[in-house]
Amino acid sequence: MSAQAQAPAPSASASEAAVAQVPVMELIGITLRFGGVTAIKDISFDIREGEVRAIIGPNGAGKSSMLNVISGFYHPQEGEIRYRGELRASMKPYEIARLGVARTFQNIALFKGMSTLDNIMTGRLTHMRSGLFAQAIWKGAAEREEIAQRERAERIIDFLEIQSIRKAPVGSLSYGMQKRVELGRALVSEPSLLLLDEPMAGMNVEEKEDMSRFILDVNEEFGTTIALIEHDMGVVMDISDRVVVMDYGAKIGDGTPDEVRNDQAVIDAYLGVAHD
Amino acid sequence: MSADVYYGIEVVLNGLMTGVMYSLVALGFVLIFKASGVFNYAQGVMALFAAQSLVGLQTGQIPFSHLINAVFGLEVHHFGWTLPTVVAIALSLCLMVLFALLVERLVLKHLVNQEPIILFMATIGLAYFLEGFGQLMWGAEIKRLDIGIPQGGNLWIENATAGLGGEDFFGFYIDTLDLYAALIAILLVTALVLFSQYTRTGRALRAVADDHQAALSVGISLRTIWVIVWSIAGFVALVAGAMWGAKSGVQFSLSLIALKALPVLMLGGFTSIPGAVVGGLIIGVGEKLFEFLIGAPFLGGATENWFAYMLALVFLVFRPQGLFGEKIIERV
Amino acid sequence: MFYRDVGEFKTSYRSDGQTFPIALDRHAYHAMLGIAFLVVPFLLNDYWVKAIVLPFLIYSIAALGLNILTGYCGQVSLGSGGFMAVGAYSCYKFMTGFDIYLPGEAGEWVRHALPPINVFFSVLLGGIMTALVGILFGLPSLRIKGFYLAVATLAAQFFLVWLFNTWEWSFNYSASGQITAPERAVFGVNVTGPDTSAWATYLFCLVFALVLALVARNLTRGHLGRSWMAIRDMDIAAEIIGVNPLKAKLTAFGISSFYIGISGALLFAVYLGAAEVGEAFGIQKSFLVLFMVIIGGLGSVLGSFLGAAFMVLLPVALKNLLVGQLGWATDIAAHLEFVIVGALIIGFLILEPHGLARLWRTIKQKLRVWPFPH
Amino acid sequence: MMIVPQWNVSDRTSIPARDDQRPRRTPALTSITTVPPELGTFPRVVQRNATRFAERPAYREKAFGIWQSWTWTQAHEQIRALAAGLLDLGLMPGDAVAIIGRNRPPFYWTVVAAQYCGAIPVPVYQDANADEAAYVMEHCGARFAVVDDQEQVDKLLEIAERTPQLEHILYLDARGLRTYDHRRLHELASVQRCGRERLAELGAELERRSAAASGTDAAVVLYTSGTTGRPKGVVLSHDNVLVTAMNSCAFDALDERESILAYLPMAWVGDFVFSMAQATWAGFCVNCPENAGTMHADLREIGATYFFAPPRFFEGLLTSIRIRMEDASAARRWLFDGALRRARTTGPALLEGRPVGWTDRLLHRIDHALILAPLLNATGLSSVRVGYTAGEAIGPEIFDFYRALGINLKQLYGQTEACVFLTQQPDGQVHPDTVGVPCTGVEIRIDADGEVHYRSPGAFREYYKNPEATAGTRDSEGWVATGDAGFFDSGNGHLRIIDRAKDVGTLANGHLFAPKFVENKLKFYPDILEAVVFGRDRAFCTAFVNIDLSAVGNWAERNNIAYASYQELAAHPKVCASIGEHIEQVNRSVAEDERLFDCQIRRFLVLHKELDPDDGEITRTGKVRRRIVEDKYGTLIEALHDGSTTLDVETEVTYEDGRRGTIRAVLALHDVATVEVAQVASDTARQRSGAGTRGEPA
């Protein structure tokens, strides 16, 4: 199934990327330090409208830090970030979320106390408007809004094929399912830029296949721009349009999967490292 | 220099004395928190209970006499003998260790890897229990505790310092008991610090704080460690209780010194032993000074009740990890 | 066992999202409402109201409040007693009326006497005042987390108690330092003061409890509630998906305090009649309410009521047993009560850390799958 | 997913009849063979519903977490819009429209929409592999295909070169199809949209076509996946289907208040008749589950009042109930077992309105409140008013269990060619071993060799593009051969199906021999997976037995019997002994049968290997290939009959990875006690001829 699903998609979104060269986000000369350690050394690249952009590299290459910079959770000491053309001031994470940047986390960060549905509904929080009193009364505005948002959430639940666990507490779900729910939570906010932090970490082969199918479908169905980090090189190469390769906090390669695959620096640095 | 300054100094000195006591109680918290992640609200009541037991044993009270009388309609109260202080102290210490054992067996063991808040609630329950239990065992009335330390202003200091601030300064008034208390507290604090720094068990205790595996690798089971820390906490409670009790009688209010120790913890950080010490001194001095300079003259007094907390609160807002806690880097 | 829910299907999100999706529960709920309003008032006598019903209702409100803050938003507070005091004292001031100063034409302060306000609105205003104070003391929660915050809230507790001890204006300079509820009526029926009828005070509190419970349910099911829970479960993730922590936490503190304030006001005005801040709103109250929430069940509206019921009934039951039946001295009974309450709490936390609400849910589940064991 | 009963391979058993001599109710033979012309076709019936049941629910589908619903008026509008859309795409009268997908309202609409345009809907099994699908698509020559999602679209594109006549593919779920070439692909919703827009000008054409349509036109073509050869397309006319619907609805008093869960494949005649024909005729609501996984939950939510499921479903459900009760407390179990024990007698009695003592009534009340009703509630069957099972033998204790719970579970017998309904059990006359009395308007004849023939208004028009097959099945007088052997029970006059006709024969002594009849009895024992009985033209019957590894292995563990392989376990004396006991019991019950008493098994052996589709011994659907087994194990059969006690065998096997190998084994042959029946072959003969042709219209 997933094989069939994948077949047409990458070429398609690649072509989209080709036509739409507009960068959603540009990172220019980013440098990030923790105290003495430099996690990221002067890295620049861009993420274009409608593409699947992968950042790969062995563990400890600074991928996660990079993603945290993009999502505005870390503030780099040097360099600038341009979002849709204009310079992005250092904002609070929730403000950035409101700009349409959503993300998932490497070690799942679901809200354990809530059901799948509620978790996904939290993804709609940025779209909720009804005021305190409206909610206190519930009937009327608040309920209408709730229902409207529920419809969106249900579309995503259907899209990710998690109907059967709709009302289940997320704590009770399998790892793969939790990852899927988390993707749903990010997706439902209708992000213009979706960041995936090792979406396939710790998954078995089928789960990986499903996940990559979903990533491609998301990219294709909603035209969502996706930036993902992953150290499993194989999967990434199949699903991404362009790849940035990092090693020891520095960028050592950037281009289409094929270009990267044949880039000597990458082969030495990355493939040299036993990829776990 | 005017007398007021000297009175100020006197206040500071007294503040330091109380501060040391605070540190002592705070240490009890820190040890338990470090070793078992439990925030032991019962610490204060433990002090009360310890003091009660001390008095009771000293004066040869019959435990649960009220209850017995109520149930069997008897009229028994005393064995009719008294124990030397040292023996009484030793016995009460045993009592506290026994208590520690029971707590581990009956409570903590069943609550491993519960959320902290639950454990905290459990200790509040423990506090309730122990308070009622203590009063059942030894009676609720206020008792005098005499452990042979002279009480009242220390004349020697008073005379020695008289007139420093001109003729209307009569010298520092410092309670001898406080002096002794301070000395003992200092000794104890140093002892504890040394213990946790240089003994194998002490290191184990600190290891547990970081991670349990490490502790086990030192070769001490978690449960033993818990018993140990609770025993130590019991010991600290005993000393604190004895001092406080000797000073102002053994009564319910004694259990409130726990509440005094809390701001100390916030200030010093829940896991830092030096933090507890320094924090105690700061709070001790701070609240006394505040009362002396602002509280009494302008705010109608009795500001000690809350000043410590406000101080800690304001402090934390600017330094959430406390005095000695290390900076928290949030990760995702 | 009693559930027959085959054929109960939902064709709209409205019906799917209702509070009691199962018809049987819905009917049970309505039946209870009917009884509470139409039957109970006629059965009540003074003892029941004073000993059980009023404290139950009033503490339920407090528990609801604390549950919103601690159970739903995950911010532990030990300041409930202090906040109840704020509710009580401001309610008292509004009931008795006081002077306010407004700038006059020439910019000088002109004194206006604010007349006493109807007790119902005084209670509400008491809640609102408390909400403001709560928000004020909630500010540190943005920087301080976990136990540090819990302890920090003690600052509120002690400071407020001290404040109402020393600030004579707050208790109208009464010699005893007490505040005493004057006689006030709603629709011509006395609800405060010396001569009130059981049913009146009961209904008065019931209305508050019920409405506030509904509001709590609505707030916690909506997006505000979700942002609270998100903060509770994982604050960093919550912020990254777009929850504004400032807003979430402060609303939680505000609303929670509003509830607690109201319960404080009712406790003083309707239940106690007269109060001295030290013993009426001391730290023991804070713990009492916290117990109710924990034992009732964190993050559950129903739990707040169950917890309140438990903590109210337990002492009464013990007292009846020890003093009433065994005829012991009250002080011994009191001590024993401490022992038992303490032990029970510990036992509870060991056996069902998620409280009575969870217990209830489990039982319900068992009934639903009956005759199967699970 | 559930295995679908194969009508034309109905392995019926007959279990000794309860000898109740109650006067048997001859079915009401109001010989209505046509429906009023104004209701002569599906579109017209739907039209009627749109006005008559206007606001009543017609279709529901669990989607996006709630039951999306359509009233008859809305459904009709949807259908017309779709019809117009299809018209707009150039759908011609007589065209075939393939429908591939799980049960969803739009597919049911497609059926009617196609008929509106005079085209013929052809539902295809959605889990058919590319090759099977290709054959059907080729054979019916569909120009249009309406499918579920990308998966099906891909399947069709895969076989595109084999189906050149396929012009348009309509899909419901656009997921993943954005980038496909859309010259031939259309989203169903958008087709409907443009249908709505153009309804003004196309309306007239629609009316013309639906007016032109007559009852004798083909309403649907259903392909029966035969075990032998290629599937045949059964053409059912509007008359066939609607008359059957009319009669069967009348029979069980089904009206617009029923609701049914549509979860069996649309390509299977049962779903077409229950969810399409009966639902449309009676105007009741068809509910489609969210997906295969949630079927049971959805069944509970909807609380179907009219329910069909093959025996496997009820077996599975009962097993799961037993398993769930496993770890119940003793007290609970005591309650449970007690209640069920009492219910076994009281429940059916109450169902059939037989007199029940007041104490039993009272007890039953209590049981019902405490156990039965909650249990029903848990199974989701509590609102079932009429329940049917068919297609295979159902274990009597299973059947009784549900009757005991108070579910009006009945059996029917039918086949695709007859629009299902041939015989069915009237309320109050239910026996686990019969398939009931002829349905209204159906004539049943049992010919000399015991094969069941029928004549019915529901009898199919023809096999699509296959006249010789049609001629082969239906004679000049219109009698259709079912291929099943059976007879009318002399006790209650109900039809009893005993086996496939071609498998029924006689023993050497001329007594009737029906292997499946015995095999089914054997297979009701959990530790017998498969049994093959031999005896045609032989002195006595013998059997091969396959043990059920899971069941027996389980038993072995509990009795700590160590075993290394299936072969070793199968050879274990204890195992053989217990199998022997089962066979004895079966013999006893066989002996009680008035005509098959001599099918008792004298000797048996437990096979050293499982019958395996890879070795061609059974079909993929798990049906024994008797001939192949007989050839392959000829020596064993001989040994069984010549009385030798052990036998050294070497068998060739094919492993899953295709490798071939041989296994050697020494098999023990066992004797079994049989019951002697003092009866002569002649009376069986008499009864057989006496069976005659019951249920003919007077």
Side-chain angles (χ1 to χ4, degrees), chain C residues 33 49 55 96 171 187 194 202 205 219 235 238 250 289 311:
Chain C
L33 283 191
V49 171
T96 51
F171 46 85
F187 303 121
Y202 162 73
C205 294
L219 288 178
D235 51 358
L250 288 193
V289 180
M311 291 307 288

Side-chain angles (χ1 to χ4, degrees), chain C residues 120-141:
Chain C
F120 179 81
F121 294 103
S122 305
V123 172
L124 277 185
L125 285 168
I128 291 165
M129 296 305 293
T130 321
L132 298 177
V133 178
I135 292 171
L136 185 69
F137 279 97
L139 283 168
S141 69

Side-chain angles (χ1 to χ4, degrees), chain D residues 20 91 185 189 208 257 528-529 598:
Chain D
D20 46 85
L91 181 62
L185 280 179
R208 206 183 54 64
R257 286 164 306 188
I528 296 181
L529 178 69
D598 215 6

Side-chain angles (χ1 to χ4, degrees), chain D residues 473-499:
Chain D
T473 350
R474 174 167 31 203
D475 65 18
S476 51
E477 303 158 3
W479 288 99
V480 183
T482 60
D484 293 325
F487 63 91
F488 279 96
D489 185 298
S490 62
N492 50 35
H494 285 213
L495 181 65
R496 283 169 59 178
I497 300 298
I498 54 178
D499 200 345

Side-chain angles (χ1 to χ4, degrees), chain A residues 62-120:
Chain A
K63 306 188 297 291
S64 297
S65 308
M66 196 68 231
L67 205 71
N68 283 331
V69 167
I70 299 175
S71 70
F73 188 70
Y74 292 162
H75 301 299
Q77 283 75 5
E78 295 163 29
E80 63 184 39
I81 301 167
R82 295 188 167 279
Y83 182 73
R84 301 210 170 280
E86 73 252 22
L87 190 64
R88 190 177 83 186
S90 82
M91 310 169 152
K92 295 241 178 306
Y94 66 88
E95 293 167 323
I96 289 168
R98 284 160 203 274
L99 285 181
V101 179
R103 69 168 288 172
T104 67
F105 302 85
Q106 179 176 352
N107 27 37
I108 301 167
L110 286 171
F111 304 124
K112 292 274 177 292
M114 303 191 222
S115 69
T116 300
L117 178 60
D118 278 329
N119 266 278
I120 291 180

Side-chain angles (χ1 to χ4, degrees), chain C residues 5-7 10 13 370 372, chain D residues 64 67 300-301 332 370 377:
Chain C
D5 53 356
V6 162
K10 307 282 183 278
Y13 291 124
W370 176 272
F372 299 117
Chain D
F64 303 118
W67 289 90
R300 278 196 85 233
E301 283 185 15
R332 199 186 280 247
L370 283 183
N377 188 65

Side-chain angles (χ1 to χ4, degrees), chain C residues 211-296:
Chain C
V211 172
L212 287 173
L214 289 176
V215 170
R217 158 67 182 160
N218 290 342
L219 288 178
T220 50
R221 70 157 79 160
H223 64 80
L224 189 56
R226 275 196 205 93
S227 56
W228 290 341
M229 289 186 265
I231 291 281
R232 172 195 69 191
D233 288 349
M234 195 167 285
D235 51 358
I236 298 171
E239 191 170 356
I240 286 174
I241 65 163
V243 177
N244 177 347
L246 177 78
K247 195 153 158 271
K249 287 181 179 172
L250 288 193
T251 45
F253 265 96
I255 292 163
S256 153
S257 315
F258 175 73
Y259 277 63
I260 294 176
I262 285 187
S263 92
L266 290 174
L267 188 72
F268 148 70
V270 181
Y271 181 57
L272 297 175
E276 191 280 319
V277 64
E279 27 74 29
F281 302 109
I283 182 149
Q284 300 304 332
K285 274 282 182 298
S286 301
F287 286 131
L288 181 65
V289 180
L290 190 56
F291 282 150
M292 290 175 174
V293 174
I294 299 280
I295 287 182

